[in-house]
Amino acid sequence: MLDCDYFPQPLITQNGHTFLYFHKTPASVSMGNMSTLNDQEVHLLPLRPNGGTIYHVFFITGNPGLIGYYHSFLTLLADKLALARHGVAIYGHSLANFVDEFIIDGTGSREGRKILGLQGQIEYVEGVLRSYVDGLENASSVEDSAEPPKIILVGHSVGAYIGLEIIRRWTEEEERKMRVIGLVGLWPTVTWIGESPSGKRFGWLARLPYLEKVVACATKVLTAIVSRSVLHNMVKFVTGMPDDAANVTSDFLCSPNGVEQALHMARDEMLQITEDRWADDIWGSATKIPGIASPKLIFYFGKNDHWVADHMRDELIASRGSRTTEDELWRSKMLIDDEDIPHGFCIHHNVIAASKCASFIDETIEADRPT
């Protein structure tokens, strides 16, 4: 059952996606389970802020792409933003094939079993975002709005890479049904992931033939002979995860395609996340794109992130990060964590990570407001 101060409104189905809307009470959000932890999606929607603008935070997971890992984080984030008196809706969705045995495209059609690479997941997330925006046309949050919905992308790990690609595609559109005003990258992996400590180790394993199929088959055998409660306790013992994260991991291990999908996508990440592939006008440019307010980019890197090579991170910050001079504040804001929060912050560090993320979203909203 829902263990927080959000109360569910009727289910609304748009383009094959079912949205569960929540209205927040004046009380603060308590941390707890958000119903079933292997749900495909989470949608937290505040009461309309006195007729003001509602900003839509669209959350993109890392790999493994299960939104269940982020339930506590997103609940706490909603609480922080509510205290700041912002009207912010939060939507998050699992990546394709991590929960169900089929994928749902932007039109709602069900495709057969299909393991996706990084580009396939980008297209999937883009389709989910477009379905979400289409669904807003009939939602009370934007029914009186004369402008397109304002979207703030928040991506964890490879989710930040996916977010950059969505912005690139959005800037190339002639007709825009939404306005992407910012991207917050949390512990982002956007360049040279194969040079990171974990990338080097996995890169060696990824060269083994049929790796993902062998591991997936072995996992299916394990989950077939071990009871769910035993599996749950094994996950907790081996990983040190709390109950909620161990539940999500157990669901992931028992899913039809999740393990194979995660390994296949990780292999593809090693091949595709290499050099900086985005133009100046994506990262931030003194020369604005005609008719577009450039999205504000904020990247929060880990201090000792095992999925990010420090020297590659520092090169990116030097070439793309903002300077202290007033005339170069249009550049992307890039920070390095000084709290020693690990890459997988959503397991044990949700409170502090939500506070950090809320401050970045506040900054993005304030930058969007007229001066």
Side-chain angles (χ1 to χ4, degrees), residues 4-64:
C4 64
D5 294 324
Y6 284 86
F7 294 94
Q9 303 302 305
L11 293 172
I12 298 176
T13 300
Q14 295 287 343
N15 295 330
H17 296 285
T18 301
F19 300 150
L20 178 56
Y21 288 87
F22 293 84
H23 282 188
K24 186 179 184 301
T25 67
S28 62
V29 176
S30 63
M31 186 172 178
N33 257 349
M34 302 252 329
S35 188
T36 305
L37 285 177
N38 65 346
D39 284 346
Q40 280 275 24
E41 55 197 349
V42 170
H43 191 174
L44 304 176
L45 183 62
L47 293 172
R48 192 173 179 85
N50 298 321
T53 300
I54 287 185
Y55 292 87
H56 297 269
V57 170
F58 185 85
F59 185 80
I60 309 170
T61 74
N63 182 13

Side-chain angles (χ1 to χ4, degrees), residues 189-210:
T189 54
V190 293
T191 60
W192 298 110
I193 189 173
E195 295 298 314
S196 67
S198 289
K200 289 180 178 178
R201 287 192 290 269
F202 181 78
W204 178 83
L205 288 172
R207 289 193 289 269
L208 299 175
Y210 309 111

